[in-house]
Each structure stands twice: as structure tokens, then as C-alpha cells.
Amino acid sequence: MLKFIFFRMLQAIPVLLIVIAVTFILIRQAPGGPFDSEKAVSPYVLEKLNERYHLDDPLYQQFFDYLGNAVTGDFGPSFKYPTRSVSEMIFTGLPITFELAINAMVVALIIGISAGLIAALRPNTAQDYIPMSAAMIGICMPSFLMGPLLVLVFGIWLEWLPVSGWGYSAGDKILPSITLGATYAAYIARLSRGGMLEILSQDFIRTARAKGIPEHIILFKHALRGGLLPVVSFLGPAIAGLLSGSFVVETIFQIPGLGRFYVQAAFNRDYTMIMGTTIFFSVLIILFNLLSDIIAVMLNPRLSYGDKN
Amino acid sequence: MTANQTLRADTIQGRSLWQDAITRLRKNHLAMAGLVILIIMVVVALLTPWIAPYSYEVQDLDLGASPPSAAHWLGTDTFGRDLLTRVMYGGRVSLAVGFIATTVALVIGVFWGAIAGYAGGRTDAFMMRLVDILYALPFMIFIILLMVVFGRSILLLFLAIGCVEWLTMARIVRGQVLSLRQQEFVEAAVAMGLSPLTIIIRHIIPNILGPIIVYVTLTIPSVMLLEAFLSFLGLGIQPPQSSWGLLISYGVETMEEYPWLLLYPGLVLSVTLFSLNFLGDGLRDALDPKTSKD
Amino acid sequence: MPVLSVKNLTVNFYTRDGIVNAVKDVSYDVDAGEVLAIVGESGSGKSVSSHALLDLIARPPGKIESGHAYFNDIDLLNCSKQQMRSIRGNKIAMIFQDPMTSLNPYMTIGSQLIEVLTTHSVVDKKTATLKAAHVLEEVGISDGLKRLKQYPHEFSGGMRQRVMIAMALLTEPELLIADEPTTALDVTIQAQIFELLHALRKRYNIAIIFITHDLAVVAQLADRVLVMKDGAIVEQGTTAEIFANTQHDYTKNLLAAIPNSQKPEQYRYQVPAHNNNSILEITKLTTRFPGLSSGLFQKKQYLNAVDNVDLSLKKGEILGLVGESGCGKSTLSKTIIQLIDSHEGSVKFEGEEITSLDSKHLKRLRKDLQIIFQDPYASLNPRMSVYDILLEPLKLHQAAPKDQLDQRIKELMREVGLSPSDIRKYPHEFSGGQRQRIAIARALAVAPKVIVADEPVSALDVTIQAQILDLFLQLVKRRGLSMIFVSHDLSVIRYLCDRTAVMSEGKIIEVDQTETVFNHPKNVYTQKLIAAIPTEIPHQSPA
């Protein structure tokens, strides 16, 4: 088990290096330097700027400098806002994005798992079709459509909830969390329904019934652990999805989180900011993938004890 | 030839698994509705330059944004452009991205997966480890990076999205090939003396076609969603080109005053995604009788 | 006073292809402490009829149309869910066919055993644990307390079935329903489980409904027998009556189908005048598989699946290769026909070394060496019609002139007992036995000299198995084939094979004339195997 975690972590290192290298090369390949969009800058100033940001060093040296700094959490200053460092901006936006993602995840898990379980209990009846059709709507209605529609209905027409912000007024966290969580709730509902149906058709469930175990215990004690394995494995990719989903949701609801910074940086060609955020997001996503793999293994005794086959 | 034909005539006609699958699919009303809607969408998209009610560029600034009317079925936008026309042209881009990017994913994925699965051993381990590593990359962020660095070209979008989606395809194909390789009928084909190429063509590909078709049907909507997502953020399709994602993005800006500018493009996108997903689910049930056995 | 009295039980399944009458008007009694065997082939309704008693069939598509099943005055088919739960696992316990899938892989053995006790009686956890450990030891699993903490995957198949039996006995039920409990197990393990059931039955005075397809098992264990066919009971009586005085034709067929005799005289191998007549000569053959590496940086370990095997096949004979699961018999047969690469040793076909042929020569060899597999559902490409399946080898090896291909395909179908009018059908439209005939026709298409048959009848019902075995006998004689016949079933081997090789842990431990092996086994393991064959059935006068 420890061996497994150790090896999975080892595996993450080359992935991270690739991420950093690819990001670095891409950014340096970009047509136009970071100062092109500004008003005409005199050649002298341009040279000074390049010197200041070490843009005149050989590429490999820039890379290793950057790598060395990145390890210590220093992603350099923002190109766009030279007075602020990238790390500083990341850590201003992070708590907000993190809270949003957690809220969305809680929404997704609660709604998704209960809908999936309800549907799996009576497959091919109304009890199955209704939650699953709702899930299909969640999948087919992307967050950038659902968000504005929710704003339109609950914010503008009904005036029940605030239409933007994060923590500025009561209830302004509700719509963003639901918008971001809805799609994942739908996926989780489908996954947990599928996983539960698969497990409930297994021989050992019949054994449990033959033993006279009450249905609710069969469901929660015998089936849930295996039935939710697909959901657990999905959590890693879901976190990745939530983070990129935050780009849209934070833009729609004007939330000053990391995702909005990223989109703005992309527009402004704020290269250090893009690189810093990309690397930071990658670390997060790789970590969460690792975590969900570990949990999945822990839930499966055949894997966690080393399979004999 | 004539001998063959008389033979056909005097024997009981068998029903292949494909025929069975089609029969099952026909009974699935949701999937069939999805198929019909899709066909209509594709035909309309293909014929748009000829059947669109207005020209794409025509503005009517005096008219401005107007709600749906007899002259403009879906209304007009703030420049007085006909929304129906714009939705039709946007559909061409959205559908094209969906189909072309999926084709890119299909070609790379099937190639990669089939080779890894059939070669087995170290080749397989190496190829799939690479896929694992790529899987761990935050791709959405990379696509955004690509769009930022190389400019927002539609061609690049096809490639970038295709390059993300092939990973799953490769995994599915490889898994199928691997399990088929262990099937006794493939072993029997080897024992018969067939060459590996013949075995792949005659015995393996026909048997993995089902899962591939299903996956393709389900990849198209996710690709279209990705494009819409990027376009919404302003990082995908660039004006004057248009796509449903871009139209939705414009619609959001003015949704308080002109909600139809958000509702109709959103509705069309959702209905298309619905159709593809229902068709994909229906195909999965039809092609794999086990899952639909109730 | 019967423990269980089933009256007019009828069960239907509502499938998309129409209504299937799985069980038709079945009535029977089970007396206290009695073993009732329900015998039938697949699809006979034997399992459904007993699963229905405990409400264990999927509803829908299943539906109990009518009937009563009185168990201590409670009608099992018309009682409340509460009542049913208090009976299941408490008064009536059940064990299933496949011990590998019948235990929950996510829970320890202990929690699965203990929950039976805590569900059905008010006991504290400690008492329940002790009781569970005690019963585990009673079914032959030592160190019960320790093993309670283990997960199912840490037990072998036989051991898991013991756990299932322990689970069933925990509450000392009055009736045990055993649904093919030994079908998935090796013969020696099967014999142990029988012994265990026999002993436990006496100790607990428990009535048993024993569901099986195997009449030989019935003779050993049952007091009374009930024969089912197509959902209905065709015959019932005491075991002695059934065997001594069979009434129904179907039962007679079943009995006749059991290969419990020596090889028929007319098919036996005739020693030819010239002596040097080995068609296959195998010497010191070894095939390795990478084993599990126990440590990280340890050298990779290899497992000798086939270990230094010497064997020869004479022209025109059927050589049996028998052994339990995992002994390497399948690997050996595939190594012989060059589907798996060997690591050492040689295989000579008609004097020519074939272990290191290039692809061109290998293709020529394939025409002479053919294989038939176990699972007729997996060995045919589901997307090809019979015509295409048989056409492929004919074309590849130019085994027939182009204008006679259709003719040859029809001939082949007739030869293996298929109707040529089914030529356009696809594999899924045939029954298991018919599929195996297609596979045989495919192997015969290129007119091979040697056929390796890898458990070709294990997946088939006994009556079908008997037909296929006779087909093999006829084909070998008519076509002058030589055959290696791989099986775990000793009675099949005895009926079919001239010589028999016994395999264990990758090695051939005994090879001799079949009757010599059966009557005077030399090796201890062979003796154990032969002893484990269910007692022979009192033989029938030919029907």
C-alpha cells in the first residue's frame, strides 16, 4: 500500500516536469512579446524590460532559473501588474476558488449520489427515469448556459438571490455553487447508478438476500462500497473539471478567484501569470488524481492487500 | 456466382448481430428521436448558405434587437442581424468542430490503442504509460494556453481538442483488443494460420466497431461542449466567425433586456447535445444486449 | 411430516422474446433430515424452482404465477417480506454454485458470517464471533478466529465453498438448498465437499435440497431424486428406484449419457503392423510464465506451466490428458500446436521439428494441426455466419477447388450433424452443442492430421456431451485422425481415450493405457483422482 503511494508519487514528478517544460516552451514560442500590446515602447525601455525579466538569457538558462524558483514557490512578478508577484495573486484568488470548488463538490456529491441510488433501487421505472432524465439535462446544459439562466430566473426575474459576488451579500454563494456543481452531480448520478446496478446484480448480493439480511443493510453495507468505486475514481478528474469550470463560473458571477485571474491573464498575455497558474493548477490536479486513486485502492481489499492472482 | 445465389435462396437467412442491434435501436424511441434531430441539424447545417433566410453579414441597425416575429423567427440581435441565420451559421462551426475533432481523436485513438493492444508486452506497457501520463495533464488549461500562444484559429481548435479526446479512445480500443486477443475465436484464427493483419481486419475490427461507434457518438457532444466553453470565454472561435458557444456568450451580455438572444442559441445547443447523448446511450444498449437485459 | 411442501409452483419469465415457462406446475415434498436431489440439464428450471422459494429470482422479468410452498405452516410464496427475511438464512439456508463470486469481496469473512447471527438472533458481537470461528473450524477451516479477519480473495475456491457452508449452518437451519455447490470445483475438492455435507447433515439432522446436473453425484448423496426437464418434473422416486427402475425416457437418456464405461470396442486403437508410428513426438518440453515477483528489486521469477514433458501421440489414437485446474494441461496443448512459445525441448510432427518454424512453414503446419476449444460461445466469431466461418480455412489453405467451396461447406456441416440449411445463420442463433459442432467442422475443414481438443465438452449438458463424444469417436475412426483430448473429467477420458496421461503441476506424472491407469494407478496423485470420481452408478440395461 505504502509502496503504491510512493510509486504513484514518483510517477507524478515527470508529469510535473513535462507540464512545466511544455508550458515554458509554448509561452516562449508565442508570437509577440509580452510588451507588444502596450503603447509603443522605445527600444531602450524594451531592452531594459527584457533585461529585467531575463528575457535575453539563453532559453535553457531561463528555464532552469524558472524551475529553481518555482520549486520554492516563486513564480516571479506579473508581467501585467509588475508590482504584484504571481504567487501573491495566486494566493489571493486560491481561497475563493477553493471554497467555490468545495461547495460545488458537496452539491454534486449529495445530489449525484442520492439521485443515483434512488434510480438504481428501481431500475426502469419512473423512479429511475425521472432522476436520470434530470441528470441528462445537467450533462447537456453546460454551466455557461445554466449559470446565466439561473441568474436570469432567480436573480433578475424573481429577485431571490444576488447575481454576482462572493461573500459580499447573503446568499451570493448559492447560485455559483449550484452552477458549478450541477454538471458533476449529473455525472456522479449516472456513475453511481451504473456502479450500484452492477454490484446489485452480483452473486454475493443474492447470497446476502438468502441470508435474510434486510434490504437497507444490503444496500448500505454490502453494495455501497463497491458500487461507489466508479464515483471515487471520478473524483480526481472531477476536481480538474471543477477547477476549469471555475473559469466560466467566476467570469459569469464576477468572483475574484483564481479562475477569473487565469482567464484575464490569458487575455492580457500575462505570461508569468499564465505559467504560474498553469503549473499551480497542474500540481493541484495531479495531487487530487493521486488522492482519488489512493482512496479507490483503499476501498478495494483485493488491491490494497496485493492481489494473489 | 449462380451457385452461390441458389444456395442463398434455399437456406434460412441468418440474422447478424448488427441486424439485431438495429432492431433494438429502432425500438428505442428516445434514441431514434435523437437520430432524426441530428440528421435534420446536419442537413440544415450543410444547406445553410442556400436556405438561410438572411445573409450572414446583413445588419439592420435601425431595427436593433427585436423579439421573435414573422420576419425574424428567432428575433434579431443588437445589430439587427437575424438570429436564426446566425444560429444556422454558428451550427455549421459547432457541428464541424464536433465531427472533425472527433475524427482526429478517432484516428489517433484507434491507431494507438489497436497497436498497443495487439502488440502487447513492452510496447503496450510503454504506449499506455504515455497515455496515463498525458491523462494526468490538465488539458483544458493546455488548450487555453495553446489558443493564447498561437492565436485563436479554428484549425488549431480542431487539433487541440482532438488531441485531448484521443486518450480515452485509445484506452477503450486497447482494452477491447486486449480482451478480444484472448478470445478463443482469435486463438482459433491464429491456429488456422491466418496472418496477424487478416486477423485484425476480419476478426478484431468488426468486433470492436460497436464500442467505437458508441464512444464516437458520446465524444461529439463533449467536444462541442469544449468548443462552446472556450468560445464562451472568448478563447475559442473568433468573430466574424460564429458558433453556438459564442452566440450564448453574446446572449449572456444582454440577457436582461433581450433574453431570446441567450435562450435560442442555448436551446439549440442543448437539444443537439441531448440528441447525441440519447443516441449514444441507445446505441450502447442496442450493441451490447447484456446491458439492456432487464 | 414434510419440512417443505411445494404445491403447483409455476414461474414465468417475461422476456423481450416472449414468455418463457421456466417452471410448470411443480409439486414435491422434502422430509426432515432427507436429501432430495433435483436433477436436470441447463434450462430445466431446477434452479429457478428453488430460488423462487426464497424469493430470490429477479422480479421482473420473473413472475411466480401460482403455487404454494408450505414451510412449517408458512406459505413461502405468499408471506410478508418480514416473514421471508426471518426464514431466509435462519430456517432455510442456501449455498450457490460459484464460491468465487458468492462472497462479498469488500467485506471480511468474519463480518459476513457474524451478520447472519446478529440479523437473526439477539447476540453480542463477541459470542457471535466465537460461534462463527467455531463453525468455520467445523467445516474444516482451522485457525477460525484468525481467518475471520481475512477477505474472500485470500481463500481458495474450495475453501470459499466451505465458508459458504459455514455461513449456511451458523443458525442451524432446518433446510439447506445447495445449488450446484461443487460444479465449479475440481474433483478432489468436490469429493471433500461431499464428505463434509454428508457429515454435517448427520450432525445437524438437516434436510437438503441438492440441485445438480450430475446424476453420478446424486447416486452418492441423495435419498430421493426428482428429475426435471423443460420446467416440469418428469420423474421422482427414491434414489434406488430411479437407478434400478427408470420409468421416463428422458431419465433413461440422462443415465445413458453418463460416460461410465470403457471405450467402445469398435473404436479402439488398432496396433498397426509397422511399429514406428508416432505422429507427434514431444521431448523435454518446458513452457514458462512470468510469476509474481514478491519484492521490488528481486529477480523476476518464472513459473514452469509445462515442466519437462515427454509425450508421444501415435497415429490414429486418442490420447487423454487429464488433470485439475491449473495443472498446465491447457498450456501444454497450446504449446504443442504452437499457439504458445516453448522455452526448452522439442516437438516433432512427422519427424520434423516444429518449435522454431518461420511463419511460412508454420502456416503449412497449421493445416495439419488443429485445435478445438472449450467454450463454444467464445470460440466462434460472433460477427461471422457459419458459411464465412467455414469458408475462411477452406480458402486460406486452398482445401477445396473454388467452384466446390459451397459444396464442401455443406458436406462439412452434414458430417458434424448440422443442417446445411442453417448455413447463413450466425453463432448466436445456435445452441451450445451446435456451436461446438461448428467449431469441430471448422477444425476439420482443412483435413488436419492431428486435432487437439481442449476441454471441448466441459461446457455442455450431459446428453449433448454424449453426442459430441460419439461424434469424436466416429470422426477419428472415419478420418484416421490422431487426437489429444484434454479434460478434467475422468469418466469422459475413460470413455474416449486409448491412452491417458495424468498431469499435475506442469509435469506428466503417469501415462499408460487408459484401463491400466484406471484400474491400477501407480502414482499417489492419480490414485487420489480416481478415488474422487463419484461412485459408479448401478448400470442400466441398454435402453
Side-chain angles (χ1 to χ4, degrees):
Chain A
M1 186 62 199
L2 279 173
K3 209 169 80 188
F4 169 80
I5 297 176
F6 179 70
F7 269 92
R8 283 291 277 105
M9 297 213 342
L10 271 190
Q11 233 182 60
I13 292 173
V15 177
L16 268 179
L17 280 179
I18 293 174
V19 168
I20 297 175
V22 171
T23 314
F24 190 83
I25 293 165
L26 276 180
I27 292 288
R28 293 300 133 103
Q29 289 304 310
F35 311 113
D36 287 358
S37 55
E38 319 268 320
K39 276 177 279 177
V41 185
S42 74
Y44 174 75
V45 175
L46 190 64
E47 197 178 303
K48 278 287 155 201
L49 277 172
N50 278 340
E51 207 173 293
R52 161 132 191 252
Y53 294 115
H54 300 286
L55 291 179
D56 44 1
D57 284 350
L59 204 61
Y60 66 91
Q61 198 183 333
Q62 291 184 36
F63 176 67
F64 284 112
D65 283 350
Y66 187 81
L67 195 62
N69 289 334
V71 171
T72 62
D74 176 12
F75 297 112
S78 160
F79 268 141
K80 184 79 183 169
Y81 310 100
T83 51
R84 302 181 66 187
S85 80
V86 172
S87 315
E88 197 185 311
M89 289 173 73
I90 288 178
F91 285 102
T92 337
L94 183 66
I96 294 176
T97 301
F98 201 65
E99 196 189 344
L100 172 63
I102 297 269
N103 284 2
M105 199 48 136
V106 170
V107 168
L109 284 174
I110 292 176
I111 298 180
I113 291 179
S114 23
L117 289 188
I118 288 170
L121 281 183
R122 300 224 183 288
N124 301 322
T125 62
Q127 193 180 324
D128 179 15
Y129 294 141
I130 293 169
M132 282 306 116
S133 308
M136 193 57 117
I137 293 175
I139 286 172
C140 294
M141 183 160 331
S143 55
F144 52 85
L145 182 58
M146 181 175 294
L149 286 180
L150 288 175
V151 168
L152 201 58
V153 174
F154 294 101
I156 296 170
W157 292 344
L158 296 173
E159 292 183 13
W160 286 356
L161 290 166
V163 297
S164 68
W166 188 259
Y168 302 148
S169 54
D172 65 358
K173 293 182 181 176
I174 295 177
L175 287 183
S177 305
I178 291 178
T179 306
L180 188 53
T183 311
Y184 297 92
Y187 278 113
I188 288 171
R190 283 170 67 103
L191 281 173
S192 46
R193 173 185 182 265
M196 288 306 281
L197 279 183
E198 167 84 30
I199 291 285
L200 287 174
S201 69
Q202 299 280 318
D203 285 353
F204 62 80
I205 296 297
R206 185 183 59 190
T207 307
R209 291 214 172 99
K211 289 196 292 190
I213 312 292
E215 277 305 309
H216 66 274
I217 292 184
I218 291 182
L219 190 66
F220 288 107
K221 200 166 148 198
H222 289 253
L224 207 58
R225 191 165 159 184
L228 291 189
L229 266 184
V231 175
V232 173
S233 318
F234 175 68
L235 286 185
I239 299 271
L242 280 177
L243 286 178
S244 38
S246 70
F247 302 168
V248 161
V249 173
E250 289 178 3
T251 306
I252 295 172
F253 293 94
Q254 291 159 33
I255 298 169
L258 205 47
R260 193 151 163 245
F261 288 172
Y262 186 76
V263 175
Q264 281 170 352
F267 272 122
N268 296 334
R269 296 178 171 253
D270 187 345
Y271 289 154
T272 41
M273 183 68 194
I274 296 179
M275 274 187 77
T277 350
T278 301
I279 292 165
F280 187 75
F281 274 137
S282 308
V283 174
L284 275 187
I285 288 168
I286 289 164
L287 276 181
F288 279 112
N289 272 325
L290 185 66
L291 205 64
S292 82
D293 278 5
I294 291 170
I295 297 175
V297 168
M298 270 163 42
L299 282 177
N300 192 338
R302 265 174 301 191
L303 293 178
S304 56
Y305 287 78
D307 202 336
K308 287 195 174 145
N309 298 320
Chain B
M1 269 291 95
T2 41
N4 211 339
Q5 273 155 5
T6 47
L7 185 76
R8 273 164 201 273
D10 69 1
T11 53
I12 299 160
Q13 203 64 33
R15 292 172 49 77
S16 75
L17 292 179
W18 293 118
Q19 288 164 314
D20 277 359
I22 289 170
T23 316
R24 273 195 291 273
L25 187 64
R26 283 224 177 113
K27 284 185 192 158
N28 187 334
H29 300 302
L30 275 177
M32 287 313 283
L35 183 63
V36 170
I37 292 174
L38 274 178
I39 291 173
I40 294 172
M41 291 271 184
V42 170
V43 169
V44 167
L46 288 176
L47 297 180
T48 292
W50 296 279
I51 60 169
Y54 294 86
S55 158
Y56 181 69
E57 297 92 357
V58 163
Q59 301 188 354
D60 186 350
L61 290 170
D62 296 337
L63 180 63
S66 69
S69 62
H72 301 278
W73 291 357
L74 301 186
T76 53
D77 70 4
T78 42
F79 295 101
R81 291 178 293 196
D82 180 56
L83 186 60
L84 178 62
T85 308
R86 287 178 63 76
V87 166
M88 283 165 80
Y89 276 98
R92 282 165 72 85
V93 173
S94 288
L95 288 170
V97 171
F99 286 105
I100 296 174
T102 304
T103 311
V104 174
L106 179 74
V107 171
I108 308 178
V110 170
F111 203 61
W112 194 274
I115 290 176
Y118 199 81
R122 285 194 181 166
T123 321
D124 175 39
F126 174 76
M127 290 174 83
M128 291 328 280
R129 184 50 51 88
L130 202 70
V131 170
D132 285 346
I133 288 176
L134 291 177
Y135 241 114
L137 295 181
F139 258 107
M140 175 61 78
I141 293 168
F142 263 88
I143 292 182
I144 292 179
L145 208 60
L146 275 178
M147 302 310 283
V148 170
V149 171
F150 293 114
R152 289 145 214 179
S153 96
I154 191 167
L155 199 71
L156 189 67
L157 199 66
F158 292 157
L159 277 177
I161 297 179
C163 288
V164 180
E165 298 287 335
W166 73 270
L167 293 171
T168 316
M169 181 63 88
R171 277 193 172 175
I172 290 176
V173 171
R174 181 230 175 212
Q176 293 282 332
V177 171
L178 218 56
S179 77
L180 277 175
R181 275 209 68 178
Q182 288 156 357
Q183 292 275 311
E184 288 178 344
F185 73 82
V186 174
E187 271 191 297
V190 176
M192 199 187 288
L194 288 177
S195 68
L197 191 68
T198 321
I199 291 174
I200 290 180
I201 292 172
R202 280 183 67 87
H203 292 274
I204 291 186
I205 289 188
N207 282 290
I208 59 172
L209 229 46
I212 291 178
I213 292 175
V214 170
Y215 185 67
V216 163
T217 321
L218 295 175
T219 301
I220 297 173
S222 74
V223 166
M224 291 176 64
L225 209 55
L226 207 55
E227 178 274 320
F229 179 91
L230 290 170
S231 298
F232 177 84
L233 287 177
L235 297 167
I237 302 295
Q238 284 284 83
Q241 271 180 322
S242 186
S243 76
W244 290 337
L246 207 55
L247 289 175
I248 291 174
S249 154
Y250 291 144
V252 169
E253 286 169 20
T254 56
M255 66 180 180
E256 271 181 70
E257 300 88 9
Y258 318 120
W260 61 89
L261 291 180
L262 170 65
L263 291 180
Y264 290 116
L267 192 69
V268 175
L269 176 66
S270 288
V271 166
T272 310
L273 296 180
F274 256 113
S275 308
L276 279 160
N277 277 307
F278 277 128
L279 181 62
D281 281 2
L283 279 170
R284 174 166 27 215
D285 288 351
L287 288 167
D288 184 4
K290 258 181 296 172
T291 56
S292 61
K293 196 167 65 185
D294 33 25
Chain C
M1 171 72 193
V3 188
L4 174 75
S5 181
V6 178
K7 301 217 184 303
N8 312 103
L9 174 64
T10 297
V11 183
N12 287 344
F13 280 87
Y14 292 80
T15 68
R16 65 166 106 226
D17 301 320
I19 301 172
V20 178
N21 303 114
V23 179
K24 296 172 201 158
D25 199 25
V26 161
S27 306
Y28 61 88
D29 289 347
V30 186
D31 286 328
E34 159 185 72
V35 177
L36 171 74
I38 301 183
V39 186
E41 296 187 293
S42 50
S44 62
K46 59 186 191 301
S47 286
V48 176
S49 61
S50 28
H51 285 217
L53 299 179
L54 287 185
D55 191 20
L56 288 177
I57 54 172
R59 293 188 302 176
K63 190 179 175 214
I64 296 171
E65 301 284 351
S66 65
H68 303 277
Y70 296 103
F71 176 81
N72 295 340
D73 302 327
I74 299 170
D75 183 356
L76 296 175
L77 302 181
N78 301 292
C79 66
S80 71
K81 287 201 164 159
Q82 249 88 10
Q83 270 179 317
M84 176 53 80
R85 268 209 303 278
S86 68
I87 289 170
R88 281 171 172 181
N90 188 22
K91 299 278 196 279
I92 304 179
M94 197 152 179
I95 53 180
F96 300 95
Q97 173 171 350
D98 192 351
M100 306 310 271
T101 58
S102 293
L103 287 166
N104 191 331
Y106 302 106
M107 290 167 70
T108 59
I109 295 298
S111 54
Q112 295 185 59
L113 285 168
I114 291 162
E115 70 175 350
V116 179
L117 289 167
T118 49
T119 306
H120 293 295
S121 52
V122 190
V123 283
D124 61 294
K125 205 163 170 209
K126 201 172 158 202
T127 324
T129 310
L130 288 175
K131 168 110 201 213
H134 173 73
V135 178
L136 266 193
E137 284 176 16
E138 210 155 85
V139 298
I141 298 176
S142 52
D143 218 355
L145 272 178
K146 216 174 111 195
R147 307 225 49 177
L148 283 178
K149 296 199 187 87
Q150 293 184 319
Y151 285 92
H153 70 267
E154 297 170 79
F155 291 76
S156 69
M159 282 299 173
R160 288 193 208 185
Q161 200 58 297
R162 284 172 193 262
V163 172
M164 285 296 290
I165 293 171
M167 201 182 284
L169 294 176
L170 270 177
T171 53
E172 301 182 12
E174 289 167 55
L175 175 65
L176 173 69
I177 300 176
D179 185 2
E180 304 246 16
T182 59
T183 308
L185 304 174
D186 277 327
V187 268
T188 50
I189 311 291
Q190 172 175 310
Q192 291 166 13
I193 298 286
F194 283 152
E195 230 164 78
L196 178 67
L197 282 176
H198 217 71
L200 294 171
R201 171 206 172 191
K202 283 205 178 116
R203 186 159 346 139
Y204 287 89
N205 190 34
I206 187 173
I208 301 179
I209 297 180
F210 197 95
I211 302 162
T212 182
H213 67 282
D214 191 345
L215 269 171
V217 168
V218 170
Q220 205 174 29
L221 210 66
D223 301 313
R224 278 194 315 125
V225 181
L226 196 149
V227 182
M228 283 186 78
K229 180 180 190 288
D230 297 334
I233 296 175
V234 294
E235 185 159 6
Q236 56 177 315
T238 65
T239 309
E241 276 170 16
I242 293 278
F243 285 110
N245 185 17
T246 316
Q247 296 297 321
H248 198 277
D249 283 344
Y250 177 69
T251 319
K252 285 180 188 162
N253 279 341
L254 268 187
L255 280 169
I258 301 173
N260 60 344
S261 60
Q262 304 179 6
K263 183 161 182 172
E265 195 67 47
Q266 73 268 32
Y267 291 121
R268 287 197 197 165
Y269 173 64
Q270 307 292 327
V271 185
H274 313 289
N275 221 358
N276 185 14
N277 54 3
S278 280
I279 190 160
L280 267 179
E281 196 67 52
I282 295 147
T283 33
K284 298 202 182 315
L285 192 68
T286 299
T287 306
R288 296 195 185 99
F289 287 134
L292 18 126
S293 52
S294 38
L296 259 182
F297 302 103
Q298 275 174 8
K299 221 176 147 188
K300 216 172 192 180
Q301 305 215 327
Y302 284 94
L303 187 86
N304 285 359
V306 174
D307 194 354
N308 211 12
V309 162
D310 293 319
L311 206 59
S312 72
L313 177 68
K314 295 196 179 72
K315 198 168 178 344
E317 76 165 346
I318 302 183
L319 172 68
L321 189 58
V322 71
E324 297 190 296
S325 54
C327 74
K329 55 189 193 300
S330 246
T331 311
L332 174 58
S333 57
K334 285 179 189 169
T335 310
I336 292 172
I337 66 158
Q338 307 300 312
L339 277 179
I340 297 178
D341 289 335
S342 57
H343 292 84
E344 278 161 38
S346 88
V347 180
K348 285 189 173 139
F349 171 69
E350 294 184 326
E352 184 196 1
E353 178 62 46
I354 59 168
T355 50
S356 48
L357 289 180
D358 59 36
S359 58
K360 205 176 132 200
H361 288 89
L362 195 59
K363 186 183 159 192
R364 217 179 51 209
L365 174 80
R366 299 272 186 227
K367 187 181 172 309
D368 293 326
L369 289 180
Q370 276 297 312
I371 183 164
I372 295 164
F373 294 96
Q374 168 176 359
D375 185 355
Y377 289 88
S379 67
L380 302 173
N381 186 342
R383 310 241 173 237
M384 283 164 80
S385 67
V386 182
Y387 178 82
D388 292 325
I389 288 170
L390 296 180
L391 183 68
E392 195 168 47
L394 286 175
K395 267 185 148 171
L396 182 72
H397 294 286
Q398 283 125 31
K402 272 220 167 83
D403 53 338
Q404 287 172 27
L405 283 172
D406 289 356
Q407 201 50 42
R408 277 303 303 279
I409 290 171
K410 284 185 171 179
E411 276 167 27
L412 276 169
M413 289 181 76
R414 260 184 232 111
E415 188 174 4
V416 297
L418 290 167
S419 158
S421 63
D422 288 340
I423 198 163
R424 292 282 160 197
K425 281 196 183 175
Y426 288 83
H428 65 242
E429 299 174 278
F430 292 95
S431 68
Q434 287 173 319
R435 283 160 165 251
Q436 201 56 295
R437 288 173 192 269
I438 300 172
I440 294 169
R442 177 178 58 190
L444 289 177
V446 292
K449 292 175 180 158
V450 174
I451 288 185
V452 174
D454 187 5
E455 299 257 16
V457 293
S458 319
L460 306 174
D461 276 331
V462 269
T463 47
I464 310 294
Q465 168 179 309
Q467 294 164 9
I468 300 284
L469 289 181
D470 285 332
L471 177 66
F472 275 132
L473 285 177
Q474 290 158 18
L475 288 172
V476 167
K477 186 173 172 83
R478 191 184 324 139
R479 289 187 165 233
L481 290 167
S482 317
M483 179 180 269
I484 296 178
F485 189 94
V486 183
S487 181
H488 69 282
D489 189 333
L490 289 140
S491 1
V492 166
I493 291 277
R494 188 175 197 177
Y495 179 72
L496 202 71
C497 301
D498 301 293
R499 284 192 308 141
T500 296
V502 184
M503 206 169 171
S504 170
E505 290 173 5
K507 294 188 173 70
I508 299 283
I509 52 168
E510 184 158 1
V511 51
D512 212 327
Q513 297 300 318
T514 301
E515 283 311 307
T516 318
V517 172
F518 275 78
N519 294 324
H520 311 286
K522 290 186 204 74
N523 188 291
V524 183
Y525 176 76
T526 317
Q527 289 164 0
K528 219 173 87 187
L529 267 186
I530 307 243
I533 307 176
T535 342
E536 284 198 29
I537 299 153
H539 199 67
Q540 288 295 292
S541 47

